[in-house]
Each structure stands twice: as C-alpha cells, then as structure tokens.
Amino acid sequence: MESAVTPDSPRWPQQLAEWVEQLAPGTACAPGSASPVRERAWLLLLGALRQFLRLHARRLGGVADDDLDDLAAEKSLDLLLRAERGDWSLSRRRPGEIVNYLSTVARNGLFDHLREQGRYADVEVGGEGEGHVEPVAPETSAPDRAVENREFAAHLRACFEALDARSRYVWFLRVFLDLASRDIADHPRVGLERGHVDVILQRARGAVRGCMETKGHVAHDPPPGAFVEVYRSMRNLETP
Amino acid sequence: MNPRSNEPPPGAHWTEHLALDLVQGLLATEAEAAALEHAGRCPGCEQMLERAVRDRETGRIAQHRAARSAAATRPRAMAAAEIVPLRRRAGSRRGRTAALVAAAAAAIALALAGPWRTLGPRAEWLPAQGVDLRLRGAFDAPETGRLERGLQTYAAHDIRGTIAALEGLQLSGSLEHVRRLYLGSALVHARRYRDAVAILETLPDDGLPEPWGDEGRWAFFVALDKSGDRVRAGEVLRRLAGEPTAAGERARAWRAKHGAGSR
C-alpha cells in the first residue's frame, strides 16, 4: 500500500475520490439530475475497471472482450449507484488503496463470471495487489525504419488535419479504433445517421489516401507511432 | 495535488495507470507531451494508449445513447411515478414529496442503467411463478424434483444454483422443454452464450405457451448475438418482432434503434 502520492503514483485514483465525494447524498450534485461529474466519474470508473479486467483476464485466459465490457459496465454502475446512495465513499482512501480496491472488484467479478461458467470450481481470491505493469514490446529498432515511420506519421497527421472536424472523428474512430458505423454514428461528437457515417468515411478515406499519395506514400496499415501522432492532433480537437 | 507528480522519467515505459491518467486529461501539459513522445517510439506503450482511448470513446458512445434513451423515456417514467402517490394523497404535501422522491429514483435508474443496456441486447428473466403453478403435482420423481429446485433457484436469480440443478438432467415431453428453456436462460445470464445457443436451439418452435415461447426466443436472440452469430440473431429478431407480446415489443424497439440486423 502506498502512503502518499509519489512521483510514480497515478493521479486518477485521487480524481475519482474527489468525484465520488461530489456524488454523495446531500452534495450539490443531486441524484437523478444531469451531471458532468457523474458522467466523468462513470467514464473513469469504466476505464479503470476495463483495464483491471483485461489484466486479470490475460492471466486467466479465454474471456471474450464483450464479457469484459459487460462486467466493467455492471461493476462501474453498481459502484456509482452505491456512491449516490452514500454506501460507497473514497474519502481518506490513499491512491494505492483505491487501486487495490478496484483491482479486487474486477478480479472478483471475473472469478464470479468464470465460476458461473463452471471454469473455476474454487478460485483463491485476494492476496496480490496492483502489480499493474504491462509487458512492453521492444522499441522500434532499425534507425532508417524509425525515420520512415516518423515521416509517415507526420504526413498522416497533416492529411488528417486537412479533414473537417467531424470527418476527423469518423475516420479516427474507424481506422484506429475499428468501431462500427452504428457506434460511430452515436458518438457525441458525430451524431449522424449510420448511412451518413458511411458516406463521410468513404470520402475521408479517399481524401487521406489521395493526400498521402501526393506525399509519396502508398496506402498500408499505419506503422508504429502513427496512432500517437494522430492522437496528438485529436487532443487539440478535444480541448474544451 | 502537485500537477507534475506523475511526470514519467524520460524514456520510461508506460503503465496502464499512465494511459488512464493521460486519456482522462489528468497529466500536466509537459508530462503529457513527454509521455506521448515516448509512446511514439514504443509500440507497446502506444498500444496501451490505443486501448485506453478506445475504452474512453466506447464509454462516451454508451453514455450518449443512454442520455438520449433517458430523455425519451424519462417524462413517462416520472409521470408514472408521480401518479400513484398523488392519487393516494391528493393535494397532500407528504404525497407530493413521496412522488418527487419516486420520480428522482426513476430518473436515476434510467440514467444509470442506460449505458449498460446500450452495450448490447440484454438478457431478461423469464417469468417463474406461472410455471411453478402449472407444473404442481408433476414433481413426484427425483428428476422432476430437481426441475422444481431449478425453477426455485431461477426465481431467486441464483444462476449457479439453477445451472447446477438443471444441467445434466433428462426429462421428457413438456417438462424437458421447460428445463431447456430455464437452463438456456440461466446460461445467457451466466454469459455462457455458446452453451445457451446449443440448448435453446433445440426448443421446438411451438412447444411453449406465451409468454415463455417469445421470452425464450428473446433469450435465444441474445445468446446468438453475443456469441457472434449475427445472421441467425437477425433472423430470430425479425420473427420475434412480428409477435404481439412483450418480447415482440422489445424486438421491435431493438430493430427500430439498431436496424434490421441484430447489431
């Protein structure tokens, strides 16, 4: 357990604790009303639980992504409801405790799911804490290839930025995140019919392809570094 | 909190904590720039960022759908919640307060239950009471006693108990159909979708009275959709949408929202 925020400790647990306190009964954030705090708290909880679920599922194996999504949604909503009823509080909890707590929630949820499937008759629960470092692939090594990749990424970003804002979202959500047109249509920054998304996507793909060809690149899967470069540009779109 | 406290040392590999901090906008500008600089040279770190961004964006989509769905249904839910206590205590202050509390509770339930529901078709619980009554008197053999136990555990939403009682049991005639229906539904709730498909697809088309027949078809649709068999799921949904039952209404609503296919 950590005793305080250290240079290596994550910031999200403390942010989550602040938001959860704002959701407690008797606070300004009235239950049932539209609340940016509730929305942000849910997104953060969902993101954290998905990460922990993936981590535990990777060790146990054989759990479908859909099931992990369902479990994360179920657990995050349950926690949020408890926070709004005043049954779940993170005040005076240290970041490490919050991390361990959510990791345990995710692991227990996963074990329950596996037991229901009959895969684990009796699973040891508890013990191990956060240990939350992902195995990392080696950095891109060959210097000439790295230079090529950086150039490709920079050109891709330039072509991406030539699209209008909505087309950028549609293209990014499909090309990099592989989301279905129906899901993209329901993204709050897109808000279109599915058919319209397909039209925009087709045009955006054509525009990016043409732009990249003028810069001497043929169409292929984005190399390492391209996602980060385009994400940087997306961050500028995101800034409230 | 010190906004620079999470600044990674130059060249440090990412943790998923850092990815979450970054996509939630919790890092200082310099820390974020340094982290992205590193991720641009580290494919493993870049993948972590990609997953965290995907989590955030799919969460936003679910949230947006829920908000729209709540906005469409909340006035009706609130009105319904208000009517009961107001009729009971017309004009009284206490009744009015109770009505508002009930309305707020309904709104919370809608706002919070929404995002989860929108992630895919949801399994519904079959009615358990009616079956219990219809079958009373038939539970005299050990096998039918297990069926009764299974239905009781199902009524208590005890998924594991239901599966333990009904799996591996062999009955005959309509009792076997009941067993498969409830076992299939329990398997859907347990997210054992492929097993649920294997059981539910053996049910005869006209082997069960309503509402069990159509609720069984809804469970079959959910199991097919969640196990990735979208073509068959779409077929089941289309047929179900033509039925004048609660499950049929659910199927029509699903098709209206998500199109003719399952997803």
Side-chain angles (χ1 to χ4, degrees):
Chain A
M1 297 273 178
E2 296 169 69
S3 59
V5 175
T6 68
D8 293 319
S9 65
R11 294 198 63 192
W12 65 263
Q14 191 154 344
Q15 182 61 71
L16 180 65
E18 286 170 20
W19 283 334
V20 165
E21 289 317 296
Q22 289 175 42
L23 292 175
T27 57
C29 177
S33 62
S35 157
V37 171
R38 182 185 299 116
E39 289 173 12
R40 295 200 70 185
W42 184 70
L43 276 182
L44 178 50
L45 260 177
L46 186 74
L49 286 168
R50 274 181 176 168
Q51 288 199 347
F52 286 123
L53 281 164
R54 271 198 298 266
L55 178 81
H56 296 307
R58 203 175 299 133
R59 289 177 184 151
L60 297 167
V63 185
D65 284 348
D66 274 2
D67 287 350
L68 296 181
D69 286 348
D70 281 356
L71 283 169
E74 183 182 339
K75 296 296 174 191
S76 57
L77 288 169
D78 180 51
L79 288 172
L80 217 55
L81 276 171
R82 286 173 53 200
E84 294 207 323
R85 287 198 305 261
D87 294 340
W88 185 50
S89 168
L90 294 175
S91 67
R92 292 188 295 278
R93 294 287 174 196
R94 295 167 182 157
E97 290 177 297
I98 296 171
V99 166
N100 284 340
Y101 177 77
L102 290 181
S103 174
T104 303
V105 166
R107 189 171 57 225
N108 290 352
L110 195 60
F111 285 150
D112 286 344
H113 169 67
L114 293 172
R115 282 196 193 103
E116 282 161 5
Q117 288 189 314
R119 283 184 46 195
Y120 285 82
D122 186 21
V123 183
E124 182 74 25
V125 176
E128 150 210 11
E130 104 185 66
H132 198 48
V133 180
E134 177 109 338
V136 180
E139 296 188 22
T140 30
S141 50
D144 49 345
R145 174 57 60 87
V147 170
E148 273 175 32
N149 288 349
R150 275 201 290 276
E151 186 188 75
F152 186 99
H155 286 160
L156 185 62
R157 177 176 175 167
C159 294
F160 172 76
E161 288 178 344
L163 300 172
D164 65 80
R166 187 143 65 180
S167 300
R168 272 186 249 176
Y169 264 99
V170 170
W171 186 87
F172 178 78
L173 294 173
R174 168 60 60 82
V175 172
F176 279 113
L177 303 186
D178 198 27
L179 298 186
S181 297
R182 181 176 69 78
D183 295 327
I184 295 171
D186 284 343
H187 191 282
R189 300 284 182 123
V190 177
L192 294 169
E193 292 298 317
R194 179 162 50 176
H196 198 174
V197 167
D198 290 334
V199 172
I200 289 181
L201 185 61
Q202 195 180 4
R203 287 182 188 151
R205 277 185 191 280
V208 171
R209 193 183 304 116
C211 173
M212 289 298 278
E213 280 169 5
T214 65
K215 295 175 187 296
H217 297 285
V218 291
H220 61 77
D221 286 341
F227 180 86
V228 169
E229 198 56 39
V230 173
Y231 177 76
R232 279 197 180 104
S233 180
M234 287 294 287
R235 293 286 289 151
N236 298 336
L237 276 178
E238 286 286 313
T239 309
Chain B
M1 190 162 46
N2 175 7
R4 292 164 185 271
S5 62
N6 201 36
E7 220 164 72
H13 283 313
W14 283 37
T15 65
E16 291 199 315
H17 290 309
L18 180 64
L20 195 53
D21 278 351
L22 192 141
V23 301
Q24 292 287 333
L26 300 176
L27 293 184
T29 310
E30 303 82 3
E32 180 176 306
L36 288 174
E37 183 62 31
H38 175 88
R41 290 177 282 113
C42 168
C45 306
E46 186 177 40
Q47 281 168 16
M48 254 184 248
L49 172 66
E50 198 173 321
R51 279 196 294 270
V53 172
R54 196 175 197 283
D55 287 346
R56 186 190 63 187
E57 298 307 324
T58 51
R60 277 178 170 176
I61 289 165
Q63 212 165 44
H64 186 60
R65 281 184 186 147
R68 273 194 330 202
S69 163
T73 46
R74 190 176 295 167
R76 230 172 69 192
M78 290 183 77
E82 282 182 359
I83 284 167
V84 176
L86 284 179
R87 274 188 188 153
R88 210 179 294 146
R89 294 175 171 272
S92 87
R93 185 181 171 81
R94 206 169 146 194
R96 180 80 188 155
T97 307
L100 291 173
V101 169
I108 295 168
L110 280 167
L112 291 178
W116 182 19
R117 275 198 218 110
T118 56
L119 293 174
R122 293 274 289 123
E124 300 287 332
W125 291 98
L126 301 168
Q129 290 298 325
V131 175
D132 200 333
L133 291 172
R134 279 160 188 257
L135 298 176
R136 197 175 295 280
F139 297 115
D140 44 5
E143 293 80 11
T144 48
R146 268 181 69 186
L147 176 61
E148 184 179 30
R149 218 167 34 253
L151 293 180
Q152 285 167 352
T153 51
Y154 184 93
H157 294 189
D158 174 358
I159 300 170
R160 291 173 62 195
T162 304
I163 294 172
L166 300 183
E167 218 166 22
L169 185 62
Q170 187 66 50
L171 300 166
S172 60
S174 59
L175 291 184
E176 174 63 12
H177 297 159
V178 171
R179 180 191 77 84
R180 290 182 195 175
L181 174 68
Y182 280 86
L183 175 58
S185 174
L187 290 168
V188 172
H189 282 284
R191 299 191 182 90
R192 287 171 57 184
Y193 302 118
R194 289 180 198 282
D195 292 339
V197 166
I199 288 285
L200 292 170
E201 70 185 353
T202 63
L203 281 173
D205 252 6
D206 54 354
L208 292 160
E210 295 307 334
W212 290 275
D214 279 351
E215 290 299 341
R217 286 178 198 101
W218 176 263
F220 189 36
F221 157 64
V222 174
L224 285 167
D225 183 276
K226 296 278 193 171
S227 59
D229 191 346
R230 302 276 155 77
V231 175
R232 283 175 76 198
E235 286 167 11
V236 172
L237 189 70
R238 182 178 54 77
R239 286 187 54 196
L240 192 51
E243 300 300 329
T245 56
E249 177 61 36
R250 215 178 295 135
R252 285 189 288 281
W254 181 264
R255 275 164 64 95
K257 191 171 175 187
H258 300 288
S262 70
R263 271 203 273 183

